[in-house]
Amino acid sequence: MTEPRWLTDAEMHTWRGYRRMRNLLDLQLTRDLGADSGLSDADYDVLTSVSEAPGRQLRLGELAASIRWSVSRLSHQVSRMEQRGLVARGGSADDGRGATVALTDAGWEIVQAAAIHHVASVRRHFIDVLDEHDVAALGRIADKVLAHLTEATPPTPPRRRKPT
């Protein structure tokens, strides 16, 4: 058995700092999002993803893959959001078998209003705390880590049914 590559003191400091920062930042942004718009992180993830899609609608499987959720988890979330009038579920125009998720007019209005407050929160608690060099460095770091993780764990493609 090979000896593990333990983290140096500097690496451990960086790793722990990152984890603490991520946890506290996520907590603060979640609190602000709820207080400002009444939306949860899950609501906002679904609404923003669908709002950016052509025609403000996506196939359920494509949406699940893009936000890296299981179809089952997403289906439950969409059901809760349907009850609140934020989204509507429908059949796919392509083949009639797959489900789609579309923003309602109310969902579109809510995500637009929420985005204004959410961006202000992101600025206040993250972007404005950094200088332009920090932002550039963090962007490069994020790109590297995301490229690695995307290669290591690609999104699960939506299941395609075989024609009968």
Side-chain angles (χ1 to χ4, degrees), residues 10 13-14 20 22-23 26 32 39 48 56 58 62 65 67 70 88 92 94 105 120 129 133-134 138 141 144 151 161:
H13 173 80
T14 299
R20 181 91 171 125
R22 186 194 72 206
N23 289 336
D26 284 349
D32 288 353
L39 295 174
T48 56
R56 296 188 196 128
L58 275 174
E62 291 172 3
I67 59 178
S70 70
S92 172
D94 296 338
D105 290 340
V129 176
H133 300 291
D134 296 334
L138 191 53
I141 292 165
K144 284 181 185 180
E151 185 177 307
R161 295 183 182 180

Side-chain angles (χ1 to χ4, degrees), residues 5-152:
R5 288 183 53 216
W6 298 109
L7 299 179
T8 66
D9 289 345
E11 291 167 339
M12 182 63 79
H13 173 80
T14 299
W15 174 241
R16 287 184 175 162
Y18 163 77
R19 288 189 46 104
R20 181 91 171 125
M21 176 196 71
R22 186 194 72 206
N23 289 336
L24 291 175
L25 182 60
D26 284 349
L27 180 61
Q28 186 62 55
L29 295 176
T30 297
R31 283 180 183 154
D32 288 353
L33 183 63
D36 294 335
S37 67
L39 295 174
S40 68
D41 281 338
D43 293 334
Y44 196 73
D45 285 346
V46 170
L47 290 173
T48 56
S49 295
V50 176
S51 74
E52 294 167 354
R56 296 188 196 128
Q57 70 175 19
L58 275 174
R59 289 179 68 110
L60 194 67
E62 291 172 3
L63 178 56
S66 75
I67 59 178
R68 302 211 177 213
W69 288 6
S70 70
V71 172
S72 175
R73 175 183 179 194
L74 179 59
S75 185
H76 289 291
Q77 178 66 32
V78 166
S79 293
R80 289 187 294 272
M81 294 174 74
E82 274 185 299
Q83 292 172 354
R84 293 166 39 218
L86 302 175
V87 296
R89 195 183 319 229
S92 172
D94 296 338
D95 64 16
R97 293 179 294 186
T100 61
V101 179
L103 277 187
T104 61
D105 290 340
W108 175 239
E109 288 177 17
I110 287 172
V111 74
Q112 286 183 76
I116 293 166
H117 296 289
H118 186 61
V119 168
S121 178
V122 169
R123 277 206 167 280
R124 183 172 56 256
H125 300 298
F126 185 61
I127 297 297
D128 290 347
V129 176
L130 307 173
D131 64 31
E132 66 184 49
H133 300 291
D134 296 334
V135 171
L138 191 53
R140 287 190 305 276
I141 292 165
D143 289 345
K144 284 181 185 180
V145 174
L146 288 170
H148 165 76
L149 292 173
T150 299
E151 185 177 307

